[in-house]
């Protein structure tokens, strides 16, 4: 199951609409005084749409990723216009100022950090003629987030393993891809050091306890995805980390989504899609004779089949963000 042109077009049209949609909006907003009581568009003039900040970030990422895969998408001009309208020096300066206000050190950390770096990477490698201008416009925020991630890793004693926004491995996987693509040796070194420190000695991960009721990423598989980019002898590490992975029914079979209008339960569609993404990537770096390769590929297909058809036309609870995870799973 691979991304088709019609799927790419349908996925792209979701954030094309939602990135200009201010409400409903789930603001994670710390107020320092009465002057901070502002609507989403004033607080985040670039990333006010798509229900929340991080979903807006990866909504932009999805648009450029779809165009990179299928450059002749019918909505190409609409995508360019959206970036031109929102990515201005003044708007980005406001986004940077928000992060630098008092008591906001933890805002969007680390999930939003990872996606912002992924967006910057996608802009940098876009073939659109305006992309270099967009990259330079976003650069002050990119640099601020990059520096914040390095600082965060220098003081994070323990990894956060939950299957939601605070998961450390997910952000590090995206950050590592950015660092390598942009030849950022300092950031790459910080992430590699942290990954080895947090996960290098992990064995017998209790994946049979997954999933939690509102998770959209797998703590086990996301960690394995990261370490597949970090450990030279990844198969040996993986065998110790998830021995007999094929027998872990709770991990290898899709989560049941009982109510797709519930914003937390709808996370489980994202879990199915992000598991498929991780399983495919992990299987691709295992040797062909590895006993886990076929079970992982088979499980990835089951997870995709369970949720990919629920992305386009879905309730806004999932529709504002699920297409990005479907794109990851289908690539």
């Amino acid at each position: 199951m691979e991304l088709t042109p019609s799927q790419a077009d349908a996925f792209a049209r979701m954030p094309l609409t939602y990135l200009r949609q201010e409400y409903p909006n789930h603001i994670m907003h710390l107020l320092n005084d009465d002057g901070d009581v502002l609507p989403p568009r004033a607080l985040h003039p670039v990333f006010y749409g798509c229900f929340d900040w991080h979903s807006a970030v990866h909504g932009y990422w999805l648009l450029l990723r779809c165009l990179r895969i299928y450059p002749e998408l019918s909505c190409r001009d609409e995508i360019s216009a959206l970036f031109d309208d929102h990515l201005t020096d003044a708007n980005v300066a406001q986004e940077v100022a928000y992060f630098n206000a008092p008591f906001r050190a933890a805002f969007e950390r680390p999930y939003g950090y990872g996606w912002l770096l992924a967006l910057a990477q996608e802009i940098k490698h876009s073939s659109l003629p305006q992309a270099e201008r967009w990259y330079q416009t976003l650069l002050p925020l990119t640099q601020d987030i990059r520096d914040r991630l390095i600082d965060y890793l220098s003081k994070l004693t323990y990894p956060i393993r939950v299957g939601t926004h605070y998961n450390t491995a997910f952000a590090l996987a995206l950050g590592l891809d950015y660092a390598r693509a942009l030849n950022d040796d300092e950031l790459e070194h910080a992430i590699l050091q942290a990954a080895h420190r947090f996960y290098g000695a992990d064995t017998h991960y209790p994946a049979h306890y997954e999933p939690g009721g509102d998770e959209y990423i797998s703590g086990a598989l996301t960690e394995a995805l990261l370490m597949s980019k970090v450990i030279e002898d990844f198969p040996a590490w993986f065998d110790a980390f998830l021995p007999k992975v094929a027998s872990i029914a709770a991990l290898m079979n899709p989560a049941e989504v009982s109510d797709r209008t519930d914003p937390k339960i709808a996370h489980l569609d994202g879990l199915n899609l992000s598991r498929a993404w991780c399983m495919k990537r992990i299987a691709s770096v295992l040797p062909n004779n590895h006993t886990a390769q076929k079970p992982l590929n088979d499980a990835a297909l089951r997870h995709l089949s369970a949720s990919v058809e629920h992305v386009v036309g879905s309730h806004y609870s999932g529709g504002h963000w699920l297409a990005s995870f479907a794109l990851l799973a289908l690539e």
Side-chain angles (χ1 to χ4, degrees), residues 197-210:
R197 176 163 52 92
F198 293 150
Y199 310 117
D202 281 3
T203 61
H204 293 85
Y205 191 93
H208 59 285
Y209 287 122
E210 296 187 15

Side-chain angles (χ1 to χ4, degrees), residues 305-331:
S305 299
S307 290
V308 73
E309 297 303 322
H310 296 286
V311 174
V312 177
S314 57
H315 186 273
Y316 197 56
S317 294
H320 74 274
W321 66 280
L322 278 174
S324 297
F325 282 77
L327 181 57
L328 288 173
L330 286 166
E331 281 192 305

Side-chain angles (χ1 to χ4, degrees), residues 168-304:
T168 305
F170 184 91
L172 294 191
L174 297 185
L176 184 58
D177 287 348
Y178 164 87
R180 287 173 170 167
L182 276 293
N183 298 311
D184 188 334
D185 293 340
E186 183 185 11
L187 177 59
E188 179 181 6
H189 180 69
I191 292 173
L192 291 177
Q193 271 199 326
H196 281 286
R197 176 163 52 92
F198 293 150
Y199 310 117
D202 281 3
T203 61
H204 293 85
Y205 191 93
H208 59 285
Y209 287 122
E210 296 187 15
D214 71 343
E215 292 183 335
Y216 62 90
I217 55 178
S218 160
L221 294 172
T222 304
E223 177 179 337
L225 173 72
L226 169 65
M227 297 308 281
S228 74
K229 304 170 185 284
V230 170
I231 297 283
E232 185 173 343
D233 189 4
F234 173 70
W237 180 90
F238 184 74
D239 288 343
F241 178 65
L242 286 174
K244 300 180 180 179
V245 65
S247 67
I248 307 174
L251 187 68
M252 300 298 278
N253 291 299
E256 177 184 343
V257 187
S258 61
D259 183 358
R260 290 186 166 88
T261 69
D262 185 292
K264 290 295 188 179
I265 295 174
H267 274 182
L268 294 170
D269 270 325
L271 175 68
N272 289 338
L273 295 169
S274 66
R275 278 182 173 184
W277 167 55
C278 292
M279 288 169 173
K280 287 170 65 176
R281 296 301 186 277
I282 294 164
S284 72
V285 298
L286 293 174
N288 290 334
N289 62 350
H290 196 284
T291 57
Q293 189 179 68
K294 186 178 186 303
L296 284 170
N297 281 324
D298 290 346
L301 185 57
R302 290 194 297 274
H303 281 79
L304 260 174

Side-chain angles (χ1 to χ4, degrees), residues 2-260:
E2 295 180 355
L3 182 74
T4 66
S6 61
Q7 282 177 318
D9 186 78
F11 288 169
R13 291 191 178 279
M14 296 171 75
L16 267 177
T17 298
Y18 298 150
L19 284 166
R20 296 185 186 275
Q21 179 174 318
E22 189 168 7
Y23 297 105
N25 201 297
H26 187 260
I27 299 179
M28 298 291 289
H29 177 44
L30 184 141
L31 290 82
N32 281 295
D33 53 42
D34 288 356
D36 281 340
V37 182
L38 295 167
R41 191 184 296 264
L43 295 169
H44 298 294
V46 182
F47 304 115
Y48 63 84
C50 283
F51 194 71
D52 49 41
W53 194 90
H54 49 260
S55 298
V57 173
H58 65 71
Y60 285 101
W61 169 89
L62 177 146
L63 294 175
L64 289 187
R65 189 66 152 241
C66 285
L67 271 184
R68 179 146 67 93
I69 299 168
Y70 293 112
E72 302 307 318
L73 282 183
S74 62
C75 54
R76 177 188 177 101
D77 291 344
E78 295 171 67
I79 292 172
S80 294
L82 177 71
F83 273 78
D84 282 339
D85 288 348
H86 286 174
L87 273 184
T88 68
D89 291 337
N91 286 353
V92 171
Q94 172 60 26
E95 296 284 356
V96 174
Y98 187 89
F99 275 87
N100 285 278
F103 298 105
R104 292 186 185 150
F107 178 68
E108 287 292 347
R109 188 184 72 189
Y111 185 69
Y113 290 13
W115 274 120
L116 193 283
L117 295 177
L119 171 60
Q121 178 186 343
E122 200 62 39
I123 296 174
K124 185 64 175 177
H125 291 92
S126 172
S127 61
L128 291 175
Q130 311 97 313
E132 182 58 28
R133 171 167 54 83
W134 296 337
Y135 177 79
Q136 293 299 328
T137 300
L138 189 64
L139 191 58
L141 181 59
T142 306
Q143 188 66 38
D144 185 81
I145 293 298
R146 175 258 188 205
D147 293 346
R148 288 175 182 276
L149 181 56
I150 291 175
D151 178 68
Y152 177 55
L153 294 178
S154 74
K155 60 190 178 186
L156 185 65
T157 306
Y158 312 103
I160 300 172
R161 301 177 184 270
V162 296
T164 53
H165 307 83
Y166 303 104
N167 183 279
T168 305
F170 184 91
L172 294 191
L174 297 185
L176 184 58
D177 287 348
Y178 164 87
R180 287 173 170 167
L182 276 293
N183 298 311
D184 188 334
D185 293 340
E186 183 185 11
L187 177 59
E188 179 181 6
H189 180 69
I191 292 173
L192 291 177
Q193 271 199 326
H196 281 286
R197 176 163 52 92
F198 293 150
Y199 310 117
D202 281 3
T203 61
H204 293 85
Y205 191 93
H208 59 285
Y209 287 122
E210 296 187 15
D214 71 343
E215 292 183 335
Y216 62 90
I217 55 178
S218 160
L221 294 172
T222 304
E223 177 179 337
L225 173 72
L226 169 65
M227 297 308 281
S228 74
K229 304 170 185 284
V230 170
I231 297 283
E232 185 173 343
D233 189 4
F234 173 70
W237 180 90
F238 184 74
D239 288 343
F241 178 65
L242 286 174
K244 300 180 180 179
V245 65
S247 67
I248 307 174
L251 187 68
M252 300 298 278
N253 291 299
E256 177 184 343
V257 187
S258 61
D259 183 358
R260 290 186 166 88

